[in-house]
C-alpha cells in the first residue's frame, strides 16, 4: 500500500511541476516584447529626388554632393553629348548638422535648373515620431522645411520667370511631412505630402502647389540596395494647359530609380531620373522632361558623415 501512495505522490508532484512549467511558458509568451525604436529605416537623409525620414545624429556633420547629367537619349542626348555626360543640368553641394538626434539644420548651394539659378538653401528637419517594434507606433514621421533664394540677375522682360522686382520675389518655401515604415530589414517605404509656395511666378502660373511622393528601398546585398521614388504634383489643369500652350513644354511627374551602395562611412547613389533639377523647390513644380522621350539622365550622390561627438569617439 505504501508503494502505491508513494507512486501517486510522485506522479502528482510531476504533474504539478508540468502544469506550473506550462503556466510559466504561457505567461512568458504573453508578455509584451521590450519596446524599442526602429532605426535605419533608410540609409540616407535622401533617396534620389526626395527626402527620407532620417535625420543626422547629434554632433554629426553630413556632407553631400548631388549631380545630374544631361539627357541620355532624345533630341538633346545620344553620342553627340556622350549620352548626357558632356552636360550638367544641376549640381548641389550641401551640409547638414545634427543639433540633436531628432533635429538637424542644413545649408546648400545649387546650380539650379531652369531660369532661376544660383540657388542658396537653408533647411530644418525634425523627427516627430519614430516607429517602434511593438507596433504601438507603426510609422515614423519626420518634418522637413526649406527656404531657397535665387541669386541670378533679374530679367527686365516682364514675362520672364526671373523678372524679380525685389528680394522677396526670389524666395521659395517648401514644407514636407515624411511618413515612413520599415517593413523588414530589407524593405522600407515612405509617402510624403509636400506644399510649395513661390513668391513670384510667371503670369498664369500658381504660387501655391501641393504634391505627393512615394519612395522605397529594397536591400539586395549587405552593401547594396535598389531605391526608387515618384512625385505627383497637383497642378491646376487650366493654368497647366495655358502654360504648356504658351511655352510649348509639358509638365511631367518625376520618377527616379537607382542603386545605393554603403561603403563604410560613405553612401553612394547611382541613379536615373527625368528630373533636371535637384532642389525640391524646382523639380516638383518644373519638370518638363519625360522618360518616354529619352529625357532621362545619369545622376549620382555621394555623402560622407563626420562625427564631432568626443564622448562617442572615446567610447569607440
Amino acid at each position: 500500500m505504501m508503494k502505491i501512495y508513494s507512486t501517486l505522490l510522485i506522479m502528482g508532484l510531476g504533474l504539478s511541476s508540468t502544469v506550473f512549467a506550462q503556466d510559466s511558458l504561457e505567461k512568458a509568451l504573453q508578455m509584451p516584447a521590450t519596446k524599442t525604436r526602429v532605426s535605419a529605416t533608410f540609409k540616407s537623409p535622401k533617396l534620389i529626388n526626395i527626402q527620407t525620414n532620417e535625420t543626422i545624429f547629434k554632433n554629426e556633420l553630413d556632407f553631400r554632393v548631388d549631380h545630374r547629367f544631361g539627357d541620355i537619349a532624345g533630341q538633346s542626348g545620344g553620342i553627340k553629348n556622350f549620352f548626357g555626360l558632356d552636360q550638367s543640368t544641376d549640381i548641389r553641394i550641401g551640409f547638414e548638422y545634427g543639433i540633436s538626434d531628432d533635429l538637424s539644420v542644413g545649408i546648400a548651394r545649387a546650380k539650379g535648373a531652369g531660369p532661376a539659378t544660383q540657388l542658396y538653401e537653408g533647411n530644418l528637419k525634425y523627427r516627430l515620431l519614430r516607429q517602434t517594434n511593438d507596433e504601438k507606433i507603426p510609422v515614423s514621421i519626420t518634418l522637413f522645411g526649406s527656404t531657397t533664394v535665387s541669386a541670378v540677375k533679374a530679367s527686365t522682360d516682364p514675362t520672364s520667370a526671373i523678372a524679380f522686382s525685389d528680394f522677396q520675389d526670389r524666395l521659395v518655401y517648401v514644407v514636407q511631412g515624411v511618413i515612413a515604415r520599415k517593413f523588414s530589414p530589407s524593405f522600407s517605404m515612405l509617402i510624403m505630402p509636400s506644399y510649395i509656395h513661390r513668391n513670384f511666378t510667371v503670369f498664369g502660373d500658381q504660387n501655391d502647389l501641393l504634391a505627393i511622393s512615394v519612395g522605397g528601398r529594397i536591400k539586395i546585398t549587405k552593401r547594396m540596395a535598389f531605391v526608387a521614388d515618384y512625385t505627383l504634383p497637383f497642378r491646376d489643369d487650366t493654368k497647366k494647359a495655358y502654360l504648356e500652350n504658351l511655352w510649348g513644354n509639358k509638365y511631367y511627374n518625376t520618377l527616379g530609380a537607382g542603386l545605393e551602395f554603403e561603403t563604410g562611412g560613405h553612401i553612394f547613389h547611382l541613379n536615373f531620373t527625368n528630373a533636371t533639377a535637384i532642389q525640391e523647390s524646382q523639380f516638383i513644380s518644373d519638370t518638363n522632361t519625360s522618360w518616354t522621350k529619352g529625357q532621362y539622365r545619369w545622376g549620382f550622390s555621394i555623402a560622407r558623415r563626420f562625427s564631432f561627438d568626443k564622448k562617442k569617439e572615446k567610447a569607440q
Side-chain angles (χ1 to χ4, degrees):
M1 182 62 72
M2 287 299 294
K3 288 184 178 179
I4 296 174
Y5 284 147
S6 298
T7 302
L8 291 174
L9 181 60
I10 292 170
M11 291 177 63
L13 290 173
L15 181 63
S16 297
S17 298
T18 302
V19 171
F20 178 78
Q22 288 177 341
D23 289 346
S24 299
L25 178 60
E26 289 174 0
K27 287 179 180 178
L29 292 174
Q30 291 171 1
M31 286 179 65
T34 304
K35 177 181 176 181
T36 58
R37 293 178 173 182
V38 173
S39 62
T41 304
F42 292 91
K43 288 293 184 179
S44 173
K46 289 193 75 173
L47 268 181
I48 297 172
N49 295 307
I50 68 176
Q51 298 286 330
T52 71
N53 65 304
E54 300 297 337
T55 55
I56 309 301
F57 290 121
K58 183 179 180 180
N59 295 331
E60 288 190 355
L61 178 69
D62 187 80
F63 170 62
R64 185 184 181 92
V65 178
D66 298 280
H67 195 290
R68 299 281 185 273
F69 291 101
D71 293 354
I72 288 181
Q75 294 182 347
S76 301
I79 189 63
K80 62 181 180 295
N81 290 317
F82 204 63
F83 305 99
L85 295 181
D86 289 345
Q87 298 174 328
S88 172
T89 59
D90 203 356
I91 303 170
R92 180 183 185 274
I93 298 175
F95 297 89
E96 290 185 35
Y97 184 77
I99 302 297
S100 70
D101 287 348
D102 296 324
L103 175 66
S104 59
V105 296
I107 56 173
R109 171 63 160 83
K111 172 179 174 285
T117 56
Q118 303 177 35
L119 305 180
Y120 294 88
E121 178 199 318
N123 62 66
L124 280 173
K125 200 170 187 181
Y126 178 64
R127 193 196 302 266
L128 185 65
L129 203 62
R130 183 178 287 187
Q131 179 186 346
T132 58
N133 65 346
D134 62 0
E135 295 295 336
K136 289 185 177 179
I137 304 177
V139 296
S140 297
I141 298 177
T142 299
L143 305 177
F144 174 81
S146 71
T147 300
T148 304
V149 57
S150 172
V152 70
K153 184 179 180 181
S155 173
T156 55
D157 179 0
T159 65
S160 171
I162 54 172
F164 305 133
S165 59
D166 57 37
F167 178 78
Q168 295 295 324
D169 288 348
R170 299 174 179 272
L171 298 175
V172 180
Y173 306 97
V174 176
V175 178
Q176 297 177 317
V178 185
I179 305 168
R181 177 174 171 80
K182 188 174 185 177
F183 290 90
S184 74
S186 300
F187 178 54
S188 300
M189 279 197 70
L190 68 84
I191 183 168
M192 181 179 68
S194 301
Y195 167 72
I196 299 173
H197 176 80
R198 296 175 290 179
N199 279 352
F200 178 84
T201 65
V202 295
F203 176 78
D205 203 352
Q206 53 196 104
N207 294 92
D208 300 298
L209 185 68
L210 296 175
I212 190 81
S213 302
V214 293
R217 177 181 184 273
I218 301 174
K219 189 175 180 180
I220 300 173
T221 67
K222 185 178 180 181
R223 298 290 186 184
M224 183 171 69
F226 173 78
V227 291
D229 58 41
Y230 180 79
T231 297
L232 169 67
F234 299 105
R235 279 188 165 276
D236 181 278
D237 289 340
T238 303
K239 293 182 176 180
K240 179 182 176 183
Y242 168 78
L243 292 171
E244 288 179 343
N245 290 329
L246 180 66
W247 302 112
N249 292 321
K250 290 186 175 296
Y251 291 100
Y252 296 96
N253 308 330
T254 58
L255 171 65
L259 294 175
E260 177 185 81
F261 302 91
E262 184 182 4
T263 57
H266 294 78
I267 298 294
F268 177 70
H269 282 180
L270 178 62
N271 53 65
F272 299 90
T273 177
N274 64 316
T276 55
I278 297 172
Q279 297 285 109
E280 289 86 357
S281 58
Q282 290 192 326
F283 84 81
I284 294 176
S285 57
D286 294 305
T287 292
N288 302 113
T289 44
S290 168
W291 278 84
T292 60
K293 296 181 179 179
Q295 297 164 328
Y296 53 90
R297 67 213 69 259
W298 293 83
F300 68 82
S301 302
I302 301 175
R304 180 72 169 93
R305 194 75 58 88
F306 302 93
S307 176
F308 297 93
D309 191 330
K310 295 182 179 178
K311 293 181 180 178
K312 187 182 293 184
E313 289 180 354
K314 288 182 180 178
Q316 293 175 347

